[in-house]
Amino acid sequence: MTTRDTGSPAAQTLTGMFATSVRTWPDRPAVSDDDTTLSYAELDRRSAALAVDLRARGIGAEDRVGLYLDRSVDLVVAVLGILRAGAGYVAVDARYPDGRRDHMLVAGGCKLVVTRADWQQRIAHLGLDELPFRSTATPAAPAVDHAESAGAASVLFTSGSAGKPKAIVLEHRNIVSFAANPSLPELVPDDRVGQISSVSFDAFHFELWTTLYRGAELAVLPAVPELLAADFRREMRRRRITAMLVPTMVINQVIREDRDAFAPLRILQAGGDVLLPSACRDLLHGDFQGELYNLYGPAEATTACTAHRVTVEDAERDTIPIGRPLAGVTVLLLGDGTRAVPDGEIGEIHIGGPGVARGYLDAPELTRQQFVAGPRPDGPDRLYRTGDLARRRPDGVLEFVGRTDGQVKIRGYRVEPGEVERSLCRSHGVREAVVVPSGEGEDRHLLAVVVPAEDTTLREIQEFARAELPDYLVPSQFALVEEIPSNEHGKRDMAALHGIADRVRERRARHVAPRTEVERYLAELWEELLGVENVGVNEDFFTLGGHSLLAFRMHSQVKRRYGVSVELAAVLRDPLLSDVAALVERARAGGPGA
């Protein structure tokens, strides 16, 4: 399936594209943060000055320059300066742990690192050349642009969730094809695009390059937690933000706090993970009157290769579609070998077109495995194998299903955890769910990590699962959490999720069943209050997630059932279920602790 390209910019480099915008909108604001606003002309002058400096230091074509700066106006100046010098940039999120930062700069083969003067000591042990940088006003801009269409522009590292991080090399023409794609919702010069994503994440390409291509303004925003603390919706309105591409996990979580947080926007795009129907329902039934898009695409295909405008009707279904290919993009769903699957059947997503990356840095064998020859003479000669599964509806719209490496065998059945997740999310008592396999061999089972809706109990979720799913698909265990763990890229943190599975499995191994009527009642009460299951007599109330307010609720319900009062101080002192049960028994008998 290929969508015809109906238009592309004359310039085939990011710097050439930017130069066109400078000529068209020289005095319009290009980028701003809380301290500085630069026009297109001033951004042009400052970035040119940096490019001249880098060229004087020997930086040129196919060199890679590390970028270790705060999200700020200076970072945008530095990106353009590096590209105009002919090099590619390796952007390191300033919030990354030291080990991750060092790995990116070293594995990225950085010839030089642009950083703050007061951060130089942080990376001195790497032995790399450093350029302390802070942009300043520049009166004149030299004509400097050494970029090439097929030249390396950006090196992105995968999140590492599947093992050792891989370095993806994107060329100018890859990012240009995305930034200028006519299938994406069109920005206009009056738009202010909110920049919140990690600079090491591919959403940054939309925020920066689509904005500059359209003559709009990139507004660098505080981190999401700060925006939430200050009232997200009010901040969007105060800062006059009209468009954003937000990591899907962030949208899911922000809307849970305030469904109208994105109401001031006219364009909201989600990308990076599975967009929840429940989040879309909340958003579209609130004050948001703009356009909501679900984007799909791995970093190896430059940010996005499909898009879908989400409707109210979509939000009532099991899954939000990932849509149709962008202009000029080919998406094939292939089964065994190179067989294209018919509509309605599941196949692996293969992507072709101008956004497909050069490959993985210094990993030729891995590149050959993932970037393969196209199977059809009338199609693209090169495809990226995503490892993602999808089906195509009769109307041509694609629905994401899961991962090829995500299927597991449970009791002899082949199970796709994503299918279980979608079923659970049909319940209005479930805001979000992730299903992960746990255990080995005959003990292999499914664990559902669930964010419940307000006032929904674990038992209600379990009953829904048993009513909706065949028994082999019903998770053996559930864990209720306040939010699904996410990594620095805004995607599911699988290491943290497997950590939850390990802790649940360890609890099960230590399990001693309740023996008395009081112990059985307390176990059921704890399961309801704490959102856990199979509570045993040796469990600690606070280790399971309890706190003083929940202890008070337990105290109240015990008093209501048994007509006795147990001192809260005693519960805090002896929080094991067997100890609390003994306190209740003594209170009923009129002994100490009553």
Side-chain angles (χ1 to χ4, degrees):
M1 181 180 185
T2 304
T3 302
R4 187 168 61 90
D5 192 347
T6 57
S8 57
Q12 288 300 304
T13 64
L14 295 166
T15 50
M17 193 173 71
F18 171 67
T20 300
S21 296
V22 172
R23 291 191 295 271
T24 309
W25 301 288
D27 299 321
R28 291 196 66 87
V31 59
S32 61
D33 56 27
D34 284 344
D35 301 314
T36 307
T37 299
L38 299 183
S39 68
Y40 275 81
E42 181 62 19
L43 178 57
D44 177 51
R45 289 192 292 269
R46 294 193 185 196
S47 61
L50 175 60
V52 169
D53 193 355
L54 291 171
R55 295 289 291 187
R57 292 169 179 263
I59 298 299
E62 294 301 318
D63 285 334
R64 292 176 293 280
V65 176
L67 191 53
Y68 182 42
L69 294 168
D70 295 300
R71 289 187 305 114
S72 61
V73 163
D74 278 356
L75 185 138
V76 175
V77 173
V79 166
L80 279 162
I82 291 166
L83 295 178
R84 294 176 75 164
Y89 61 91
V90 181
V92 179
D93 191 318
R95 298 167 298 179
Y96 279 180
D98 294 352
R100 175 77 171 191
R101 174 201 63 207
D102 294 352
H103 172 78
M104 291 176 67
L105 294 175
V106 173
C110 295
K111 188 173 179 179
L112 179 144
V113 181
V114 176
T115 187
R116 286 172 32 171
D118 57 337
W119 286 4
Q120 286 183 270
Q121 192 56 39
R122 297 184 185 181
I123 57 174
H125 62 284
L126 298 178
L128 301 174
D129 287 342
E130 301 160 8
L131 174 60
F133 178 69
R134 183 175 181 181
S135 74
T136 55
T138 305
V144 53
D145 187 356
H146 298 275
E148 298 288 343
S149 176
S154 173
V155 175
L156 289 176
F157 283 77
T158 58
S159 64
S161 59
K164 183 179 179 182
K166 298 169 290 189
I168 304 159
V169 181
L170 295 172
E171 298 172 344
H172 279 261
R173 56 189 175 185
N174 300 144
I175 305 175
V176 168
S177 73
F178 169 74
N181 199 290
S183 297
L184 294 173
E186 185 174 343
L187 299 178
V188 297
D190 287 335
D191 276 318
R192 298 191 86 228
V193 179
Q195 198 282 308
I196 61 167
S197 73
S198 163
V199 298
S200 301
F201 186 41
D202 56 353
F204 183 59
H205 292 145
F206 166 80
E207 294 174 332
L208 178 58
W209 298 116
T210 304
T211 301
L212 295 183
Y213 173 63
R214 295 294 183 182
E217 178 184 352
L218 181 69
V220 180
L221 302 180
V224 170
E226 295 177 41
L227 292 171
L228 283 171
D231 187 327
F232 197 104
R233 181 181 185 179
R234 185 178 64 194
E235 285 299 294
M236 294 299 101
R237 184 174 287 112
R238 184 177 73 82
R239 296 170 183 270
R240 296 178 290 111
I241 303 302
T242 60
M244 295 179 77
L245 172 54
V246 181
T248 305
M249 294 286 284
V250 173
I251 288 181
N252 292 338
Q253 293 172 13
V254 169
I255 290 175
R256 192 161 61 244
E257 296 294 325
D258 177 6
R259 74 174 186 174
D260 295 324
F262 297 104
L265 306 186
R266 73 176 192 89
I267 296 173
L268 174 60
Q269 299 178 100
D273 213 311
V274 177
L275 182 61
L276 299 176
S278 61
C280 296
R281 282 195 298 269
D282 289 347
L283 178 74
L284 296 176
H285 285 99
D287 292 341
F288 178 78
Q289 299 298 311
E291 300 177 0
L292 171 64
Y293 287 83
N294 188 27
L295 305 186
Y296 162 80
E300 288 88 343
T302 313
T303 307
C305 60
T306 72
H308 180 78
R309 183 174 178 182
V310 181
T311 65
V312 173
E313 291 74 25
D314 291 324
E316 296 301 326
R317 298 191 176 104
D318 297 350
T319 183
I320 302 298
I322 58 174
R324 293 183 171 88
L326 302 183
V329 174
T330 297
V331 173
L332 301 179
L333 301 185
L334 303 182
D336 298 333
T338 58
R339 179 183 63 87
V341 302
D343 288 356
E345 288 193 17
I346 295 173
E348 182 183 356
I349 299 175
H350 289 63
I351 303 167
V356 175
R358 177 188 295 180
Y360 299 114
L361 183 65
D362 298 330
E365 184 57 34
L366 184 60
T367 298
R368 280 191 292 271
Q369 291 172 11
Q370 297 301 122
F371 295 84
V372 299
R376 300 187 329 206
D378 60 339
D381 58 2
R382 190 165 175 266
L383 299 172
Y384 172 66
R385 295 181 54 191
T386 65
D388 290 334
L389 299 173
R391 64 169 66 91
R392 183 177 287 109
R393 301 189 323 204
D395 61 1
V397 171
L398 297 167
E399 293 181 336
F400 181 81
V401 174
R403 290 282 301 168
T404 56
D405 53 7
Q407 293 183 344
V408 293
K409 276 279 188 79
I410 302 292
R411 291 161 41 196
Y413 294 95
R414 188 166 294 281
V415 172
E416 169 55 60
E419 179 184 354
V420 184
E421 292 174 10
R422 288 190 294 276
S423 295
L424 292 174
C425 287
R426 280 202 296 267
S427 167
H428 287 280
V430 174
R431 300 204 61 103
E432 195 169 357
V434 177
V435 175
V436 294
S438 182
E440 300 295 337
E442 293 183 356
D443 188 43
R444 192 76 159 162
H445 61 279
L446 297 178
L447 166 72
V449 182
V450 176
V451 179
E454 190 174 358
D455 297 327
T456 300
T457 66
L458 174 62
R459 186 163 299 158
E460 289 170 337
I461 295 171
Q462 291 171 317
E463 290 173 353
F464 176 86
R466 295 189 190 104
E468 290 288 317
L469 293 164
D471 62 346
Y472 69 90
L473 289 181
V474 176
S476 301
Q477 295 179 304
F478 289 76
L480 302 190
V481 296
E482 291 186 359
E483 64 182 29
I484 299 298
S486 59
N487 61 21
E488 66 271 10
H489 291 286
K491 298 188 178 185
R492 297 175 179 182
D493 188 335
M494 295 309 297
L497 288 165
H498 286 298
I500 293 173
D502 290 342
R503 290 192 292 276
V504 170
R505 196 166 59 251
E506 289 167 5
R507 280 189 54 238
R508 188 166 69 168
R510 299 193 307 265
H511 181 74
V512 176
R515 299 151 297 197
T516 68
E517 188 274 333
V518 172
E519 287 180 346
R520 285 190 289 272
Y521 169 73
L522 286 175
E524 292 178 3
L525 178 58
W526 287 19
E527 288 170 5
E528 181 179 330
L529 290 175
L530 303 175
V532 296
E533 54 186 342
N534 297 324
V535 172
V537 298
N538 296 323
E539 305 276 16
D540 183 305
F541 183 79
F542 298 102
T543 301
L544 291 180
H547 48 71
S548 57
L549 290 177
L550 288 175
F552 176 77
R553 289 178 59 189
M554 175 179 64
H555 169 270
S556 299
Q557 295 197 40
V558 166
K559 185 175 182 179
R560 189 177 304 121
R561 180 179 178 93
Y562 294 112
V564 298
S565 180
V566 176
E567 292 181 2
L568 278 175
V571 175
L572 297 174
R573 184 176 64 248
D574 298 310
L576 295 185
L577 187 140
S578 58
D579 293 334
V580 177
L583 287 171
V584 174
E585 296 282 14
R586 286 199 297 271
R588 294 177 73 190

